Amino acid sequence: MKQYPYTEKKDTRSGFGAGLAELGKTNPDVVALCADLTGSLKMDAFAKENPDRFFQVGIAEANMIGLAAGMTIGGKIPFTGTFANFSTGRVYDQIRQSVAYSQKNVKICASHAGLTLGEDGATHQILEDIGLMKMLPNMVVINPCDYNQTKAATIAIAKHKGPVYLRFGRPAVPNFTPADQDFKIGEAVMLNEGKDVSIFATGHLVWKAIEAGQALAEMGISAEIINIHTIKPLDAQAVLTSVRKTRCVVTAEEHQKNGGLGDSIAQLLGEHFPAPIEMVAVNDSFGESGTPDELMKKYGLETPNIIAAVQKVMSRR
Amino acid sequence: MPTISELEKTASQVRRDIVRMVHGCQSGHPGGSLGCADFITALYFEVMKHNTNFNMDGTNEDLFFLSNGHISPVWYSVLARSGYFPVAELASFRKLDTRLQGHPTTAEHLPGIRIASGSLGQGLSVALGAAQVKKLNNDPCIVYTLHGDGELQEGQIWEAAMYAAHNKIDNIISTVDLNGQQIDGSTDQVLSLGDIKGKWLSFGWDVLEMDGNNMQNVIETLGIAKTHTGKGKPVLILMKTEMGAGVDFMMGSHKWHGVAPNNEQLAAALAQLEETLTDY
């Protein structure tokens, strides 16, 4: 099992903030909008350094999405920032009509996704956002795994012409991917080649998949671990190549089973290469208050859950 | 520069186009389209600085956003008659594979359209974003919008109204079509708009009033509205119109909001509308 040493834990939202600040220096067309969560989204640096290109919209997310769509007319590249819940469910029709259907070059940047938002509870812990966004034609959906990858993704999406949903979160997680990585939208990242099972993970679950892979290796199980940072467009070739070799699949994500990464991979496999699949994800339930660690444990999104899913899916092969 | 009489003649042809388009596909929204024919004609044939060689960014052009997208027939007719696309294409309205979708869209790349609209309440936000970018780009041109009065029941309109005044977005002239009608009845019956002028004033807008079915008054008021831009406040025009204006049996109720005329009704409507340019 390949090793992934890291020196520090950092939050992915700070990766977004750093990427946006860099875009502020390098791309004069980038503008940013925020709905009263500048600090939470780590947009302060961009706002301070580019006051003429930063738009505080107040607690009015629907207006923010419309403004962003309008700002593309005249050549700007708007990045909107608020919590994932208010970035998607609250403004779905605005995104659908004014951004996705209108093919506008808006980057919807969403923090505090999933259970790891913690104590605020289910009202704020959206677990449906990947599904909501991936259903929209023209929309790219990205969920990077650590600080460095979120920073690289933020910079990369400015070069992609079209709507993008970029999902990240609040907790500090191991920052193990290279700082100088070349983030390629739609290209899965092979973390460990293996032969017994394919583990496809996204976002915060990628590190837990690595931990699971290490434990599985000690048990004599060779896990192939692939980071699916782009859920749409899905890297179908990477998925199919891996599953043709391992013939069984575990998916892992901080999201509902319905509409998530596992759902996308099951659809792909059903059409091209049916194989047993186990999904480590939230099973048709809202979250609740608690610490991030407590919640991930209670809702079955921890490293042991991935290990158990691997053992189960291999027995079904 | 066209005379008032010439603009009225163009509006008459636009009204013919509207009823023929809606009749041709037996669907669409003739009532509000007819009511706004004078206003949209005035914008494109007199008031706005615009280029029929369409460019999405519209830099150094005035822009128009139709927020109440269901009155697409009037906009399509005016765009075609202005030279954005062939007039003959009006015959494809709402038909399979058309660029003239039931509600306006950029998805089919119809020249003149910069955003999809139809789901109500979104156009003011979009227009304000475009207006702010004009300021960033040092582009002195103006952004125009049109909204239905029923559309003001959408909350996003008021989010946008608050934002515009707070940010002193003074390069926008928004117009509300006060025809007093919506699908289920009059606005007073469905959900009263109350003191609509007072609402916009209290939101910090500079408010003008206009008779939207009097071309002379439309041209004069829009001219005045332009002089009100650049003064630190967004500008709103409350435009009184008659739903179905120009076709007597379509006026005076909400009945023709979204109903197509049959063959006899089409003939009766066309008999009231002079063919001033050639029918498509």
Side-chain angles (χ1 to χ4, degrees):
Chain A
M1 172 72 197
K2 198 171 170 190
Q3 297 300 303
Y4 286 94
Y6 65 91
T7 54
E8 60 180 339
K9 290 186 173 185
K10 291 175 93 167
D11 50 350
T12 50
R13 59 178 168 161
S14 288
F16 164 68
L20 187 66
E22 185 163 323
L23 285 170
K25 295 182 178 77
T26 57
N27 189 335
D29 289 331
V30 168
V31 299
L33 303 90
C34 187
D36 196 31
L37 287 169
T38 311
S40 296
L41 269 284
K42 305 294 181 189
M43 298 169 86
D44 322 62
F46 181 94
K48 190 175 172 197
E49 290 161 15
N50 311 278
D52 57 330
R53 288 192 277 147
F54 177 77
F55 301 89
Q56 170 62 265
V57 304
I59 309 166
E61 295 83 4
N63 187 43
M64 177 168 73
I65 296 297
L67 289 166
M71 285 178 184
T72 66
I73 299 164
K76 299 303 178 202
I77 307 170
F79 283 62
T80 67
T82 182
F83 289 165
N85 189 18
F86 314 135
S87 293
T88 56
R90 188 175 183 90
V91 291
Y92 198 64
D93 189 45
Q94 284 77 15
I95 294 174
R96 182 176 181 273
Q97 174 171 287
S98 292
V99 177
Y101 183 44
S102 293
Q103 298 165 303
K104 293 303 181 198
N105 193 21
V106 174
K107 316 304 171 188
I108 299 158
C109 303
S111 186
H112 294 53
L115 294 172
T116 50
L117 169 130
E119 295 81 351
D120 278 347
T123 53
H124 288 50
Q125 290 160 347
I126 195 162
L127 294 162
E128 307 86 40
D129 54 323
I130 290 173
L132 287 169
M133 290 297 108
K134 81 176 188 184
M135 279 197 295
L136 291 171
N138 301 328
M139 185 65 74
V140 167
V141 179
I142 297 174
N143 185 28
C145 68
D146 70 0
Y147 172 96
N148 284 342
Q149 190 161 75
T150 308
K151 182 180 177 188
T154 303
I155 293 164
I157 62 175
K159 290 187 191 137
H160 170 86
K161 195 163 170 56
V164 174
Y165 178 63
L166 180 67
R167 178 197 216 232
F168 42 90
R170 184 186 186 208
V173 294
N175 185 27
F176 68 96
T177 67
D180 62 349
Q181 66 192 280
D182 180 15
F183 187 90
K184 292 198 171 113
I185 295 170
E187 200 168 292
V189 180
M190 175 67 75
L191 293 172
N192 191 60
E193 293 193 26
K195 59 182 175 49
D196 295 330
V197 61
S198 299
I199 303 176
F200 301 110
T202 191
H204 293 147
L205 270 288
V206 172
W207 180 255
K208 295 183 192 296
I210 290 171
E211 288 182 335
Q214 285 159 347
L216 289 164
E218 288 167 15
M219 296 158 65
I221 294 171
S222 165
E224 181 143 295
I225 303 170
I226 296 179
N227 172 9
I228 308 286
H229 56 59
T230 306
I231 289 137
K232 183 185 172 188
L234 186 64
D235 189 342
Q237 193 183 344
V239 172
L240 290 169
T241 301
S242 178
V243 181
R244 285 196 173 104
K245 178 170 61 175
T246 64
R247 297 181 177 269
C248 63
V249 179
V250 167
T251 60
E253 61 194 306
E254 193 181 343
H255 189 272
Q256 301 284 358
K257 273 189 197 178
N258 288 330
L261 169 66
D263 171 297
S264 288
I265 287 178
Q267 183 186 88
L268 176 75
L269 294 176
E271 287 175 347
H272 297 282
F273 192 80
I277 183 167
E278 290 290 328
M279 299 181 193
V280 175
V282 175
N283 190 12
D284 201 23
S285 164
F286 288 106
E288 62 185 287
S289 289
T291 68
D293 287 345
E294 287 169 344
L295 291 164
M296 295 296 268
K297 192 172 176 190
K298 175 165 179 178
Y299 287 84
L301 305 186
E302 280 296 347
T303 305
N305 303 104
I306 298 175
I307 295 167
V310 166
Q311 290 169 320
K312 186 173 178 192
V313 83
M314 285 179 67
S315 74
R316 293 172 56 205
R317 186 166 49 177
Chain B
M1 192 174 286
T3 63
I4 296 297
S5 168
E6 286 166 343
L7 289 168
E8 287 169 343
K9 284 185 188 304
T10 302
S12 177
Q13 185 66 50
V14 167
R15 288 189 162 95
R16 286 182 70 88
D17 290 347
I18 291 166
V19 291
R20 294 183 71 236
M21 288 164 74
V22 173
H23 172 265
C25 61
Q26 282 299 294
S27 74
H29 298 80
S33 295
L34 289 165
C36 293
D38 304 297
F39 172 67
I40 306 285
T41 299
L43 278 184
Y44 277 84
F45 284 84
E46 166 72 21
V47 176
M48 290 204 307
K49 176 187 169 188
H50 65 108
N51 185 355
T52 57
N53 184 13
F54 180 68
N55 171 282
M56 178 58 80
D57 282 346
T59 305
N60 293 316
E61 286 182 61
D62 293 336
L63 306 181
F64 172 69
F65 293 96
L66 181 72
S67 191
N68 48 337
H70 58 276
I71 67 164
S72 56
V74 63
W75 198 18
Y76 292 151
S77 168
V78 169
L79 286 172
R81 296 288 172 186
S82 301
Y84 279 87
F85 56 85
V87 171
E89 203 170 336
L90 295 176
S92 73
F93 176 60
R94 284 187 172 234
K95 294 177 180 168
L96 194 64
D97 296 327
T98 185
R99 297 196 293 178
L100 280 62
Q101 292 288 301
H103 294 79
T105 177
T106 54
E108 311 298 334
H109 307 290
L110 186 69
I113 312 288
R114 291 191 165 87
I115 195 88
S117 62
S119 175
L120 294 170
Q122 300 185 29
L124 184 55
S125 304
V126 173
L128 289 168
Q132 286 195 294
V133 165
K134 283 205 175 293
K135 287 186 176 247
L136 268 184
N137 291 344
N138 296 314
D139 173 348
C141 291
I142 295 172
V143 177
Y144 293 86
T145 68
L146 179 61
H147 310 270
D149 47 4
E151 185 184 4
L152 303 187
Q153 292 160 1
E154 293 281 6
Q156 188 181 345
I157 288 284
W158 302 101
E159 292 183 8
M162 194 184 296
Y163 180 87
H166 176 84
N167 288 285
K168 301 181 170 51
I169 302 173
D170 57 5
N171 55 343
I172 187 165
I173 299 174
S174 290
T175 297
V176 174
D177 176 19
L178 280 186
N179 63 23
Q181 307 292 340
Q182 56 190 109
I183 295 178
D184 276 357
S186 72
T187 51
D188 282 343
Q189 289 170 331
V190 175
L191 182 61
S192 174
L193 302 169
D195 178 8
I196 190 166
K197 185 176 180 182
K199 283 186 168 76
W200 285 97
L201 285 170
S202 72
F203 270 73
W205 286 59
D206 186 356
V207 181
L208 302 174
E209 293 175 87
M210 177 165 90
D211 178 352
N213 295 133
N214 178 326
M215 189 62 84
Q216 179 81 41
N217 189 251
V218 169
I219 293 295
E220 284 172 6
T221 309
L222 285 168
I224 292 166
K226 275 192 196 182
T227 69
H228 284 229
T229 60
K231 298 188 186 308
K233 280 187 171 187
V235 179
L236 185 92
I237 301 174
L238 293 173
M239 175 175 77
K240 275 247 196 277
T241 69
E242 183 79 44
M243 185 176 267
V247 178
D248 56 9
F249 61 87
M250 291 187 178
M251 293 163 66
S253 88
H254 64 279
K255 190 181 145 207
W256 288 91
H257 171 91
V259 177
N262 62 26
N263 291 341
E264 293 72 33
Q265 289 163 333
L266 174 70
L270 292 179
Q272 301 172 36
L273 300 167
E274 185 189 353
E275 183 179 353
T276 55
L277 305 165
T278 311
D279 282 342
Y280 64 83

